[in-house]
Structures are given as C-alpha cells and as structure tokens.
Amino acid sequence: MKKYFIYCMTAMALLFANGCTKLDQEFYSSVTPETFFKSEKDIKAALFRPFTHAKWYVGEDRWRLQEYTADNFAITTKGRHWYNGGENERYHYHRWTADDGWIWGAWRGTLMGVALALDAKNDLSQLDYTKFSLTADDQAAHLSQLDALIAFFYLRGLDFFGGMPVFDSLEGEALPRNTDEELFNHIETLLKDAITKLPLKEEGGAEEGAITKGAAAALLARLYFNAEAYIGKPMYEEAKTLAQAIINNEYGFYSLDTEWYGPHSFTNDRSPEIIWSMPSEFKKLEYNWFYADFYHYNTRQYFDQDMGANNGAHLTPSRKPDGSLYKSEFKLGSPYEKFADGDLRKKPYKYLGSGNYEGMFIIGPHLTPDGEPIVGGEEYNGEPLVFVDQVARFSEVGPGKEYSSVSELPSKMSEGEENTGLRLVKVPIPTLNENTLRWGADLPIIRLAEIYYMLAECHFRSGNAGLAAELINEVRKRNFENGNDPDPVTASNLDKYRLLDEWSIEFLGEGRRRTDLIRWDAFVNENWWDHTASKSAHLNRFPVPNEAIAGNNSLEPNPGYE
C-alpha cells in the first residue's frame, strides 16, 4: 500500500489536466528538479499547475454540491429530459448517497489538489533559486503560495466532509481521516505561516492568479467565519478582526468596484475588488460546463454564438403556477424576486458590443439580437420561447389535456418544461463577432464584497445591526442608478433572513450558498420550494464516498451514513 493512495490521486489529477504530450521531449535516466528545471519559466509552470486544477475544482461537481442542494438553483425534469435516474431530485431533496458521483468528484478533486500542490512544493523546495536569478524570498513566496493553496483545498474539504486525511508529503501509507479539529488546525497553521511570507498586492496592480497576503488572510477569515459549523467553536471575533484589517488595506490594496459588473466583466482582472481570481488564460474552456448546464439548446441564437447546451439548470421559482409569489410560504429561495425593482442586475442580459453588456438574467421572450423570436423544440416545438419564473407543465393545460386549468398544476422537481425557470448569465458572453472575448473573464475566488458582508454579519451577531447595515449598503448602492436603493438594509429590517437574502443576491451562482445556509443552521432546518426540511444535522456534511473507502479501508464514514 505504500504511496499507493497519494500517487493514485496525483495520477488521476494529471489525467484531468487534458494536457498534450511533446514528442521531441528529452528523457533523463534520473529525473530530478535540477535536471528538469531550466529557467524561471519552468518554475512558474510547476508553480501554477496546481492552480489550473484549482480553477477546475471550483466549478462542476463542487459548484453543484454547493448550489443544487440549496435554495437558489434546481435541475428539474423537463418532459423526457433530465430525470437522470432521480439524481437531481436526490440532491434537491437531500437524499444523496455515498455512491453519488458529485460527492466522489468533490472528495477526489480535493485530495488531487493537495497532492499536486505538495508535488510542486517538493520540487521547488529542492531548487537553488539563485541559479535562475531569483532570490530566497522568491522561493519562500512560491512555497507559501502552495501552502495557501493546500489550505484552500483542505478548507473546501472540511466544508464538504469534515475531517480528511492530512498529509504533508507524498511519502506514506493510505492515511486515515484526521478529526475535524485536526484538519481545522492544519489549515490555520498553513495560512498563518503563509501570510508572513507572501507579498502584498500592489495598489492598482492586475490580478494574475497568484495567492497574495490578502488572499491568504481572506481564506483564514473564511475559516474563522465558519468555525462554529466546522468545529463547534464560534470564532466571529477573529473573523471580524481579519475582515476589518483587509478592508483597512493592511494585507494589500483593495476597494469595492464602483460598477456591479466590474468583478465579473471581461476585464475583471483589473477590478480593485478582486482579492484572488483564476486567470482565464490557464484554460479557456472552464466555463463550458456552466453554459451546457444552464442554457437552452437554442440559446446560442440569443447570444449569437455557436455553443451547444443541454437545458438543465435554472433558478428555483419565485412564483407559483398561478403567478403569485412564494414569499408568504418560504423565507428562503425565490432568488430572482429577492432583487429589488430597479436593480441594474435584474434586467435581461444583453450584449452591447465592445465588451459591454447589461443585466444578468434570461427572462421572458427569447429573442435574437435582431429581435426575432427563438422557437422551442420540445413542448413548444415551433413556438416562440418565453422563459418563466415558474415550474409547471403549462403545455398540458387545456381542453382534452391533463389539466383543465392552471390552478390544478403541481409545481415540483418532476414538472419542468423546456422554458422552465430563469437562467443566470453571471459570466458575460459576447457575440461571435467578438468571440476573442469569450470566457475572457477571470474566475473570482475571493472579492472584497465578501469581506464587507463577512464583517457585516460578524457585527450583526455581536449586536451592532446598524453598522452591519451600513457595510451591506456600501456594496448594494452600486446596483442602482445614482445609488438610489429603494430597499436599503436598516437596523430595523436586518435579521437572519435578510442577511441570507443579501448573501444570495450579491453572490448568486458563485458556489457558496450551501455554506451560508449551514452557518445559519438553515440548510437542514428550513423549507424552500419543493423542499421540506429534513431536520437531520448529519446532512450538513456529505458522506465519505464508497469509492474512497474501497480504495482506502482505513477511512471511516461520517456519522449518520454508516
């Protein structure tokens, strides 16, 4: 068994790299860092290979576990499409199992990332940096970046599973799981040490994907912010101190973007709000999974693009089949209607040319850029498509059909149609005429708005709702013409649910919703559309995958999943 587990994880990670093989490569009888690295470029390639994995890691299965298990998104069955053996319903209803693929993908992807970062760290730590006209400080910063990246992977693993095997080298047996507290302490140690050696982000500098002092501090603040959920120990004061220091530019120079789209646009590497992002140049296909999941087969005509899609996912509905709002029944969910009227983001997405766009939703009549109707191919074959903020089989209402009136329609996961649900366009998409911009937006991992909201929640929890409201409104005001917010947060209207709404509105689709709900004890204890609370606390963690246990019989399952 020696080295088997760790090396298997590394090998699988390399398979996921989708890299190419250079046929004229030079071979060595003994490959060591000294023989492999020839220039600073080789060093940077080794350093950033684990970061490429990290960009893949924050999407796909990990994103799905964060969002499709929570209240803002769903993949409904649409006629003959998307039942998928009941998989999507299992996640929505919190009935997943240790055999489900997304869960295995999250466990595997986490340990792949750790293994890749450790492999790079092992190689770079053996180099004499002076031979490459680099300094010992450069080497320390590179190694600290990798430590912080390991902490990032483990932090996500702690969030998903609790304790995981902690390893600090690629030498060793298949390891058992460490406890939640041991993993928490390992992450804390890595980040605290990295902060002392990482450089500050320069004022006005572009984000290039490296982990700076501010990014490591923000990750540590995240750890403390969710510590009560992770290890049963509230650490909001520690999170508050770090968040305030980041806002005070003690860990680098950051400021809120003045435009709502700034942190997500084609030039978001220049946004002063970005604390850490993944450059799109690493692998420009990383957003394709999101496009395929969310958009209709014919939405390429809406974008004037050539990409295919599967028409699966959408926002959970804000309205019942009869058009009335769900807000009287559920405090959570209804993501679209949580945006105030007049919010610039609430407009339909429209590409304006030259990298400019407005809105971030697909809603209402589906039209080409020239205003021509786009027709359906399933329930509305040959008919103009109209996307609705509802889930129901409207095509089955009428004389001789399943339902005689809309009032009879059920609304649940099994009742979708091809036009069901609003679609999010958080990442801008240009027309084919400007296709060089496609997926040019970097992927934000941490932005300053999160730190403002973190600080606001910490103040709210300590009894200062007024200051919490001020911090949230500092972010909200950019979403309205001339900053005229029709529904600002106040000390009197701020409670648990308004805070969760604000997290939902600002970070919709950014892969964090489940974590926010768990922090407020809402993930298993609150109802939302077609979801009844399980009241089962063990579901705040996912099971250790059976596939992982099969490959490492020293792993213990999570409580409740035995």
Side-chain angles (χ1 to χ4, degrees):
M1 288 291 290
K2 189 172 183 180
K3 303 182 185 177
Y4 175 78
F5 176 68
I6 303 302
Y7 283 148
C8 275
M9 300 308 296
T10 307
M12 285 188 291
L14 293 173
L15 286 174
F16 270 84
N18 292 326
C20 59
T21 301
K22 188 177 179 183
L23 298 180
D24 60 347
Q25 59 195 351
E26 184 175 0
F27 292 92
Y28 298 91
S29 59
S30 178
V31 179
T32 66
E34 288 76 14
T35 58
F36 181 78
F37 291 92
K38 296 297 185 181
S39 67
E40 182 181 355
K41 183 178 179 181
D42 294 332
I43 291 176
K44 291 291 182 69
L47 174 64
F48 283 110
R49 170 62 192 93
F51 285 80
T52 308
H53 176 80
K55 186 177 181 183
W56 164 82
Y57 176 83
V58 297
E60 302 191 38
D61 291 350
R62 280 66 49 195
W63 188 97
R64 293 169 180 136
L65 287 180
Q66 286 288 79
E67 298 290 2
Y68 295 141
T69 63
D71 60 325
N72 282 341
F73 295 94
I75 302 176
T76 53
T77 300
K78 300 171 185 64
R80 60 196 177 103
H81 299 291
W82 282 103
Y83 179 65
N84 285 11
E87 178 184 48
N88 301 316
E89 293 184 4
R90 287 201 303 277
Y91 286 112
H92 188 81
Y93 297 143
H94 291 189
R95 298 173 186 162
W96 49 74
T97 74
D99 290 316
D100 277 317
W102 297 351
I103 293 170
W104 168 233
W107 177 276
R108 179 181 59 180
T110 299
L111 293 181
M112 282 180 190
V114 173
L116 281 168
L118 282 173
D119 190 42
K121 183 180 176 184
N122 179 64
D123 285 346
L124 297 184
S125 65
Q126 298 178 52
L127 291 180
D128 180 356
Y129 266 48
T130 62
K131 293 182 178 179
F132 304 92
S133 300
L134 297 170
T135 68
D137 287 343
D138 293 326
Q139 187 173 32
H142 288 173
L143 297 178
S144 293
Q145 279 196 63
L146 292 167
D147 278 341
L149 187 61
I150 292 167
F152 165 74
F153 286 121
Y154 269 138
L155 177 54
R156 295 296 299 271
L158 177 65
D159 189 276
F160 286 136
F161 302 105
M164 299 189 78
V166 171
F167 51 96
D168 53 18
S169 78
L170 299 184
E171 301 289 332
E173 306 288 343
L175 300 175
R177 298 174 69 190
N178 288 73
T179 66
D180 303 348
E181 290 81 5
E182 287 169 342
L183 182 54
F184 183 98
N185 293 337
H186 182 61
I187 297 165
E188 181 184 36
T189 298
L190 287 171
L191 290 172
K192 279 186 170 181
D193 185 62
I195 287 171
T196 65
K197 299 169 185 173
L198 289 168
L200 292 168
K201 180 182 177 181
E202 295 181 5
E203 190 168 9
E207 174 61 27
E208 297 178 344
I211 297 180
T212 58
K213 198 179 293 287
L219 288 172
L220 185 59
R222 276 186 182 178
L223 180 71
Y224 292 151
F225 190 48
N226 293 287
E228 188 171 19
Y230 296 157
I231 58 173
K233 178 183 177 182
M235 298 184 73
Y236 297 107
E237 287 302 314
E238 290 85 344
K240 181 197 295 184
T241 299
L242 269 173
Q244 187 64 68
I246 293 168
I247 290 172
N248 291 346
N249 289 330
E250 294 178 27
Y251 291 99
F253 296 94
Y254 310 99
S255 60
L256 292 173
D257 205 299
T258 58
E259 306 289 350
W260 71 264
Y261 52 79
H264 312 288
S265 70
F266 298 109
T267 57
N268 62 347
D269 61 321
R270 290 285 177 181
S271 172
E273 185 170 318
I274 299 296
I275 295 176
W276 181 31
S277 68
M278 293 293 178
S280 57
E281 285 77 9
F282 283 166
K283 190 179 176 193
K284 284 202 171 190
L285 297 179
E286 292 293 2
Y287 288 117
N288 276 6
W289 70 270
F290 188 92
Y291 186 100
D293 275 9
F294 266 80
Y295 303 133
H296 188 277
Y297 324 109
N298 296 334
T299 294
R300 62 182 181 276
Q301 300 171 44
Y302 178 82
F303 291 128
D304 187 20
Q305 269 291 350
D306 60 359
M307 294 176 284
N310 303 320
N311 197 32
H314 52 80
L315 272 64
T316 52
S318 302
R319 297 181 180 273
K320 305 173 189 177
D322 66 8
S324 60
L325 293 169
Y326 279 115
K327 64 181 180 181
S328 61
E329 298 181 28
F330 308 117
K331 293 182 178 179
L332 298 180
S334 300
Y336 180 73
E337 287 300 338
K338 294 291 173 66
F339 287 79
D341 291 340
D343 191 317
L344 296 170
R345 297 167 295 184
K346 203 175 183 182
K347 295 180 179 181
Y349 175 82
K350 184 178 181 181
Y351 186 68
L352 304 175
S354 302
N356 300 307
Y357 63 98
E358 65 182 21
M360 64 179 200
F361 294 101
I362 294 177
I363 180 173
H366 214 32
L367 306 173
T368 69
D370 295 328
E372 295 297 318
I374 299 169
V375 300
E378 297 291 332
E379 292 88 356
Y380 300 98
N381 187 23
E383 300 178 39
L385 280 172
V386 179
F387 285 95
V388 296
D389 195 9
Q390 296 157 290
V391 174
R393 299 283 297 173
F394 292 100
S395 61
E396 297 180 3
V397 176
K401 296 187 177 181
E402 184 75 16
Y403 304 100
S404 60
S405 69
V406 168
S407 63
E408 298 177 9
L409 286 173
S411 183
K412 55 185 180 179
M413 286 289 289
S414 61
E415 302 300 306
E417 299 183 312
E418 65 177 313
N419 66 332
T420 287
L422 306 188
R423 315 303 168 94
L424 177 68
V425 191
K426 197 85 180 238
V427 181
I429 300 173
T431 60
L432 275 172
N433 287 337
E434 299 183 34
N435 213 32
T436 55
L437 292 174
R438 193 166 87 186
W439 309 145
D442 290 353
L443 178 64
I445 307 296
I446 306 170
R447 50 193 182 94
L448 190 63
E450 176 186 347
I451 308 303
Y452 268 76
Y453 278 43
M454 187 185 296
L455 183 58
E457 184 175 315
C458 290
H459 280 302
F460 175 80
R461 287 177 179 273
S462 63
N464 196 338
L467 182 52
E470 290 178 16
L471 288 162
I472 295 172
N473 289 332
E474 274 297 302
V475 181
R476 278 183 62 94
K477 66 184 181 182
R478 68 184 177 194
N479 303 309
F480 304 92
E481 290 285 357
N482 302 316
N484 294 325
D485 186 346
D487 185 27
V489 180
T490 66
S492 60
N493 70 21
L494 188 58
D495 61 8
K496 162 185 174 178
Y497 297 103
R498 180 67 190 256
L499 263 171
L500 281 171
D501 284 350
E502 293 304 322
W503 280 109
S504 171
I505 292 166
E506 179 61 30
F507 297 94
L508 183 65
E510 294 189 37
R512 62 171 298 130
R513 186 59 173 171
R514 168 186 158 275
T515 300
D516 291 330
L517 293 179
I518 290 174
R519 193 175 59 256
W520 280 102
D521 203 24
F523 186 62
V524 299
N525 290 318
E526 295 279 352
N527 300 329
W528 51 83
W529 173 79
D530 197 29
H531 175 90
T532 302
S534 69
K535 308 292 184 180
S536 299
H538 77 279
L539 294 172
N540 285 326
R541 299 265 173 83
F542 292 111
V544 178
N546 283 334
E547 235 177 306
I549 294 174
N552 178 3
N553 58 18
S554 65
L555 296 175
E556 293 290 334
N558 268 332
Y561 293 106
E562 293 88 348

